[in-house]
Amino acid sequence: MTTDTHQAITRIAEIIINELKLEDVTPETFDADLDLVDEIGIDSMDLATIALVLRDEYGIRIDEDDYPKLTTVRIIAEYITTKLAEKE
Amino acid sequence: MENAKDITEYKFSDIIASPSIKERFEKVRKYFFLRESTYDMSNRCNLRCEGCYYYAGETEKQFAEENLNPADWQQLMEAEKERGITFVVLAGAEPSYVPELCKTCYDTIPLGCIASNGLMPLAKEIDYRIHISVWGNDKTSLEIRKAKNMLVRQMENYQGDSRAIWVYTFTPVNIDQAREVTETLAANNHQITFNMFSAPTDYNGHLRHTPQTLAHTRAVMSELLAEFPETVVFSPYNIVAHTHEQGLHSLFSCSYPRMNPSTAIGLGRSFRQYRTDLQWDRAAACCVPDTDCDDCRHYAAGSAVVTARMYRHATTPQHFSAWLDYVDTYLAVWVKGYDKGENLCKEMIEPPEQS
């Protein structure tokens, strides 16, 4: 895992913990491979809110059609990395 | 290289920096936990309205057998709760025929709504929101619904009842009667919200809207919202969304299963439309089955379809305000005890382009 990806995972975990007001977990201990729908209980409105914060953070558009693909923090980090690479 | 400023004019943090927007967003997001499904409660009705969705179509829902066993309904509700459903909509054909089943649902999932014609009052112990349908003044109701003095009888049944809200369905033939109905309801301290007739599949009768009747409806809705702000539960953006020449699916991409193949998240994953035999069919699952999707402007559909498009509206303070007004309206219409705030966006703005 590159430093950039690790940093992205930590930051995304921080955003999710903050937006969902999750307790008993920190960005460092958040399992990046947890299924956000099945294991965290996230739904489309939660994801839309997180997507807006990520839009601010990284300056990228997250297509609504892509929401179903964003199933874990690691996958979101990879998605963002790809989007940022496309911008350059 | 794509510049962030090209993507959106405003950051989300800029938009919610406005105190009024921030306050409204925090107010509505407390209800993001709502997960809806709908249930046909009875295959009987004391009316036979032209254009009725329940008795339309070939999906045979009107031929499903009634399951009148409260234990089966309780088991269903417990299973629904277990899979995350937090809000039930009890509908077709007429739920007030089976109050004991409605009570069973309420006892297990206490947030919900009942769609009723209001001619048989529901006991107050079933503390759901109650949507009472109105299709014009009493003369028109008699013609289309074959029932006399409907509004008077509905108001007698629900006088002083905070569960009740009247849902006026605009058809091409009753647009100007909305004023008479709104005045009557206002004089009796009731509330009203607006629905649009959306053609059932294969319906080609005279109730199908035209561009002219959509524009006429838009003007009347706008007048009534301005003149009866305490009575009319609606917003300028609701008016735009439901009287646009394009239907809801075309404007917002419908998120109900019939038009949304995804089962990963949102309504595509959680929504089911159960029939009276407690069975459901994903291919037919829709908030109002057998509606012509291209003509759908239904208020119940919009409540989820527009609401689901938060991301798309978070591009300018005006668009996000309009979206918040829509969600605020939806919650006030559907959730008992939720008070609607003043509309934040007074103008009728166009919906954002699809992403």
Side-chain angles (χ1 to χ4, degrees):
Chain A
M1 188 192 312
T2 66
T3 304
D4 284 352
T5 304
H6 178 73
Q7 285 175 345
I9 285 175
T10 304
R11 178 62 184 138
I12 293 162
E14 186 178 37
I15 287 168
I16 290 173
I17 289 167
N18 185 48
E19 291 301 326
L20 300 186
K21 297 181 173 54
L22 299 179
E23 296 175 352
D24 302 327
V25 64
T26 67
E28 290 72 27
T29 60
F30 197 102
D31 183 346
D33 296 309
L34 275 180
D35 190 291
L36 294 172
V37 176
D38 288 335
E39 295 177 279
I40 303 292
I42 200 170
D43 198 10
S44 53
M45 296 303 289
D46 301 321
L47 190 53
T49 307
I50 291 163
L52 286 166
V53 178
L54 293 172
R55 189 180 79 181
D56 278 3
E57 182 95 3
Y58 295 100
I60 57 166
R61 181 194 299 275
I62 298 177
D63 295 331
E64 290 168 303
D65 289 346
D66 289 342
Y67 284 6
K69 302 176 196 166
L70 305 178
T71 53
T72 69
V73 167
R74 190 182 307 282
I75 289 170
I76 295 175
E78 290 166 355
Y79 177 91
I80 288 170
T81 303
T82 303
K83 283 279 187 176
L84 288 172
E86 287 171 1
K87 281 178 65 177
E88 292 173 356
Chain B
M1 175 176 158
E2 191 179 21
N3 186 296
K5 281 287 179 188
D6 295 332
I7 295 171
T8 176
E9 192 175 345
Y10 293 89
K11 283 188 166 186
F12 183 55
S13 54
D14 295 335
I15 292 171
I16 60 171
S18 160
S20 60
I21 292 177
K22 172 78 172 173
E23 181 186 3
R24 188 62 54 82
F25 182 58
E26 293 302 333
K27 180 187 175 193
V28 304
R29 76 183 300 191
K30 291 189 178 76
Y31 291 84
F32 283 5
F33 71 92
L34 294 176
R35 306 276 181 273
E36 160 212 16
S37 267
T38 72
Y39 310 83
D40 286 340
M41 303 303 292
S42 164
N43 59 22
R44 291 163 286 157
C45 187
N46 46 351
L47 298 179
R48 278 293 183 278
C49 307
E50 180 179 351
C52 173
Y53 302 99
Y54 186 80
Y55 294 106
E58 297 175 353
T59 52
E60 299 186 353
K61 60 186 175 299
Q62 68 269 41
F63 306 118
E65 287 189 15
E66 284 184 328
N67 184 328
L68 299 173
N69 184 347
D72 289 346
W73 278 89
Q74 184 176 349
Q75 190 175 28
L76 172 66
M77 286 295 127
E78 286 171 355
E80 290 291 272
K81 191 174 179 179
E82 181 67 23
R83 74 177 183 90
I85 295 303
T86 54
F87 189 95
V88 298
V89 179
L90 312 185
E94 176 47 55
S96 58
Y97 268 115
V98 287
E100 68 286 0
L101 299 183
C102 297
K103 180 66 165 56
T104 298
C105 297
Y106 174 74
D107 287 343
T108 309
I109 300 181
L111 279 173
C113 172
I114 297 175
S116 174
N117 60 41
L119 296 182
M120 298 187 291
L122 283 152
K124 290 202 171 177
E125 60 183 351
I126 306 165
D127 202 16
Y128 286 143
R129 202 73 158 120
I130 299 177
H131 287 195
I132 301 171
S133 56
V134 192
W135 284 57
N137 65 13
D138 281 354
K139 181 171 180 291
T140 299
S141 288
L142 180 59
E143 289 169 5
I144 292 180
R145 313 186 76 179
K146 321 290 187 289
K148 291 179 181 173
N149 304 320
M150 276 202 71
L151 193 57
V152 171
R153 292 156 67 192
Q154 291 168 330
M155 287 196 303
E156 282 176 357
N157 287 338
Y158 287 99
Q159 190 61 46
D161 193 329
S162 60
R163 297 175 302 171
I165 183 166
W166 274 254
V167 180
Y168 189 98
T169 296
F170 280 87
T171 74
V173 301
N174 70 12
I175 298 169
D176 289 320
Q177 297 164 25
R179 172 172 291 279
E180 173 188 338
V181 172
T182 303
E183 286 173 347
T184 304
L185 290 170
N188 287 275
N189 296 315
H190 292 298
Q191 286 189 312
I192 188 171
T193 191
F194 298 140
N195 184 28
M196 293 295 286
F197 179 78
S198 304
T201 313
D202 299 327
Y203 177 83
N204 290 307
H206 70 301
L207 299 182
R208 187 181 274 269
H209 277 286
T210 67
Q212 292 73 32
T213 64
L214 290 171
H216 187 183
T217 302
R218 178 176 289 207
V220 170
M221 284 180 173
S222 187
E223 289 170 11
L224 296 176
L225 176 60
E227 291 176 41
F228 300 92
E230 302 298 321
T231 302
V232 175
V233 183
F234 225 52
S235 79
Y237 198 55
N238 286 70
I239 296 174
V240 171
H242 291 275
T243 62
H244 205 282
E245 287 196 26
Q246 295 181 63
L248 289 169
H249 176 57
S250 178
L251 286 174
F252 300 104
S253 303
C254 182
S255 36
Y256 281 99
R258 280 174 70 201
M259 300 303 279
N260 168 22
S262 172
T263 58
I265 197 167
L267 283 178
R269 178 185 178 88
S270 60
F271 182 84
R272 295 177 181 176
Q273 198 275 327
Y274 287 89
R275 297 179 180 176
T276 52
D277 57 5
L278 310 190
Q279 303 300 307
W280 71 286
D281 171 9
R282 182 178 165 86
C286 190
C287 77
V288 186
D290 292 307
T291 302
D292 175 352
C293 292
D294 289 336
D295 194 56
C296 181
R297 296 178 179 82
H298 200 281
Y299 81 115
S303 293
V305 174
V306 181
T307 300
R309 299 303 171 210
M310 178 173 81
Y311 187 94
R312 204 179 294 173
H313 289 82
T315 48
T316 68
Q318 191 182 39
H319 271 102
F320 198 64
S321 296
W323 179 84
L324 285 169
D325 289 341
Y326 194 100
V327 179
D328 199 40
T329 301
Y330 139 69
L331 290 169
V333 167
W334 292 88
V335 179
K336 188 171 175 292
Y338 183 94
D339 290 325
K340 183 169 171 3
E342 186 179 345
N343 288 316
L344 300 175
C345 179
K346 312 292 186 192
E347 292 82 38
M348 290 203 276
I349 62 170
E350 277 290 301
E353 296 290 321
Q354 297 200 27
S355 58

